[in-house]
Amino acid sequence: QALTLGSATSAIPFIIGDIETPAASLTLSAASTNTALVPVSNIVFGGSGANRTVTITPAAGQIGNSSITISVSDGSLAASRTFLLTVTGSALDAWRLANFNTLSNTGDAANSADPDGDGQTNIDEYAAGTNPKSAADVFKVSSATISGSEFSAVVPVKAGRIYSLQRRADLEIGPWTTVTTTGIQATDGTRTLTDPGAPANRGFYRVLVSLPSP
């Protein structure tokens, strides 16, 4: 079963039976390997006789996995089935949970917060792939050079992100021209972005860091 954050399963049907004991007299129970994600009290049985259902509601504000075991007993013997329940959020949800142990866009975990005081907000740190709790881990162009008509910039790259070198003639309001775009990076490291047609008089550059579309 796969769920998105804030949702519950439908009533999942299953059948129980026993040779000696009427189905209505059999006892159902449930277990969860991750009770922070799925408390046992949030596993609710329905139906009657041989035709039963189970509905699972994950705890609010939690993502992750839990193995759910449904057991049936006649009082002396039991049988069980286990399945995996996965609750997913957005990539930003997972990042915030990993770094701040919360899904709430508030306090130190807020998109606009800068808990390490390095001048980059959390949303910038998320996009750049840097550590929001380490002022030493910042996105910074390590070198920028121009040779003839070619401009080059060496930038730190993170796996799973796309880097675009953009140029414009001035800093007035208007569009930037993308001159180099990387593919999705496979590993962390550095990458040299170049513009073979650097302007002869002056130009302004920026590096746009983006995540692939979901």
Side-chain angles (χ1 to χ4, degrees):
Q1 295 288 316
L3 300 174
T4 56
L5 185 67
S7 64
T9 70
S10 59
I12 305 167
F14 62 98
I15 296 173
I16 60 175
D18 184 69
I19 295 175
E20 298 91 359
T21 307
S25 299
L26 298 174
T27 301
L28 290 171
S29 61
S32 168
T33 59
N34 183 354
T35 54
L37 178 68
V38 182
V40 174
S41 59
N42 286 19
I43 304 174
V44 179
F45 295 114
S48 61
N51 298 301
R52 304 297 182 94
T53 64
V54 62
T55 302
I56 303 169
T57 304
Q62 297 289 321
I63 60 177
N65 301 305
S66 182
S67 291
I68 306 299
T69 299
I70 306 299
S71 300
V72 59
S73 173
D74 64 0
S76 57
L77 298 176
S80 63
R81 293 290 185 271
T82 299
F83 60 93
L84 183 67
L85 178 78
T86 301
V87 182
T88 59
S90 67
L92 181 56
D93 288 331
W95 181 88
R96 186 178 285 121
L97 187 63
N99 285 282
F100 299 102
N101 198 34
T102 181
L103 294 172
S104 178
N105 182 18
T106 57
D108 280 353
N111 290 345
S112 59
D114 180 17
D116 59 5
D118 62 1
Q120 294 183 309
T121 64
N122 282 335
I123 199 66
D124 290 334
E125 302 253 25
Y126 164 68
T130 50
N131 185 343
K133 292 183 175 180
S134 171
D137 189 15
V138 295
F139 180 83
K140 183 179 180 181
V141 175
S142 57
S143 68
T145 59
I146 188 165
S147 177
S149 62
E150 182 174 275
F151 172 84
S152 297
V154 178
V155 299
V157 298
K158 298 285 185 177
R161 287 161 174 78
I162 300 168
Y163 296 81
S164 301
L165 181 64
Q166 298 184 323
R167 179 188 71 207
R168 62 184 298 170
D170 55 53
L171 294 180
E172 298 297 325
I173 296 175
W176 289 78
T177 299
T178 298
V179 293
T180 302
T181 298
T182 71
I184 301 172
Q185 298 301 288
T187 59
D188 297 351
T190 60
R191 186 78 177 261
T192 300
L193 306 179
T194 60
D195 175 16
N201 49 3
R202 71 173 186 176
F204 297 88
Y205 288 91
R206 72 178 185 183
V207 177
L208 178 68
V209 186
S210 58
L211 293 165
S213 299

